[in-house]
Amino acid sequence: MHASPPSRHLVVNGWFWGQLQTGSGQYLHQLVEALPQVAPEHRYSLVLPASVERGPAPWRVELAATPERWVGGNIGKVWFEQVGFPRACGRLGAAVALVPYWGSPWSRPCRLAVTVHDLIPLLLPAYRGGRAQRLYTELVSRTARRADVVLTDSQASRRDVLAHLGIAAERVHAVPLAAGPQFRPISDAGELARVRERYRLPGGPGNGRFV
């Protein structure tokens, strides 16, 4: 018989919970749904900012308070990432902390994983923003280097992380994103014909089978 893997408490930064208009919000919601399915032996908690109503969550939720003068602004977001979230991880006795976007904390109350989807604010001048944005990019670049594990969405982004953040290759893992449930094979001949006509696609085997 094989021994069951030890149970661990995974605590996730939930800043983007309820923000389904953003890619990071969609990524977080899919993680919250999928993780207990693929690793049911672990415990999971979601840390949310206490000042913002994000809607119900299926996991245990821990609220992290932000000083009132910074609620709702960019400084409040940084406070949550750098102070509120790591403190909550300590209170919860986390074994692993996961930040599902490029915003990990400097302090590490436990092992830390961060998802760096891409390095667009660092690599593309049009997205670098003003001085405050550039300082934030420098901060999260430094904190990512302190993470135990860095996840990213593609081999191309992994190469960027290795080249521009200088993180050891064995700590950086490309985990491709899955297609949403709305993307599925279509077998209805009428629907396929309609899509081919709309987009002027060629017919025949192997063409226009997905919409």
Side-chain angles (χ1 to χ4, degrees), residues 27 31 35 97-102 112-118 144 147-154 157-158 161 165 167 171-177:
Y27 178 80
L31 277 178
L35 280 173
L98 171 61
V99 181
Y101 64 98
W102 195 12
L112 175 67
V114 59
T115 302
V116 180
H117 296 285
D118 55 61
D148 296 282
V149 173
V150 175
L151 307 175
T152 191
D153 299 342
S154 66
S157 290
R158 182 176 184 270
V161 169
L165 297 186
I167 300 172
R171 290 162 51 207
V172 184
H173 306 273
V175 182
L177 303 178

Side-chain angles (χ1 to χ4, degrees), residues 7-201:
S7 175
R8 296 186 176 183
H9 190 183
L10 176 66
V11 178
V12 178
N13 174 316
W15 177 265
F16 282 99
W17 184 258
Q19 300 185 51
L20 289 172
Q21 76 280 10
T22 68
S24 292
Q26 295 169 31
Y27 178 80
L28 172 61
H29 277 254
Q30 294 300 319
L31 277 178
V32 166
E33 180 178 345
L35 280 173
Q37 299 178 28
V38 299
E41 69 275 14
H42 300 314
R43 293 185 296 132
Y44 300 95
S45 295
L46 190 66
V47 178
L48 303 179
S51 57
V52 181
E53 176 59 46
R54 302 290 193 186
W59 293 0
R60 169 182 174 175
V61 170
E62 177 81 3
L63 299 179
T66 302
E68 186 174 353
R69 64 186 181 279
W70 293 331
V71 168
N74 290 331
I75 295 179
K77 179 173 180 287
V78 175
W79 175 274
F80 175 81
E81 293 166 354
Q82 300 300 321
V83 180
F85 177 65
R87 283 181 178 174
C89 289
R91 290 195 302 270
L92 292 167
V96 178
L98 171 61
V99 181
Y101 64 98
W102 195 12
S104 53
W106 182 265
S107 63
R108 297 184 304 162
C110 58
R111 292 179 62 81
L112 175 67
V114 59
T115 302
V116 180
H117 296 285
D118 55 61
L119 298 186
I120 286 175
L122 184 65
L123 301 182
L124 300 182
Y127 291 88
R128 288 176 183 166
R131 187 170 184 270
Q133 176 63 44
R134 293 194 299 273
L135 287 172
Y136 180 77
T137 300
E138 177 63 22
L139 170 65
V140 296
S141 296
R142 290 177 179 269
T143 60
R145 296 184 185 108
R146 294 172 56 82
D148 296 282
V149 173
V150 175
L151 307 175
T152 191
D153 299 342
S154 66
Q155 291 295 340
S157 290
R158 182 176 184 270
R159 289 192 293 270
D160 287 341
V161 169
L162 296 177
H164 298 279
L165 297 186
I167 300 172
E170 63 269 18
R171 290 162 51 207
V172 184
H173 306 273
V175 182
L177 303 178
Q182 70 272 33
F183 300 104
R184 63 197 189 282
I186 299 297
S187 57
D188 181 83
E191 178 68 7
L192 292 173
R194 184 189 67 79
V195 172
R196 289 194 190 101
E197 180 179 1
R198 178 179 178 182
Y199 295 103
R200 300 180 182 179
L201 301 174

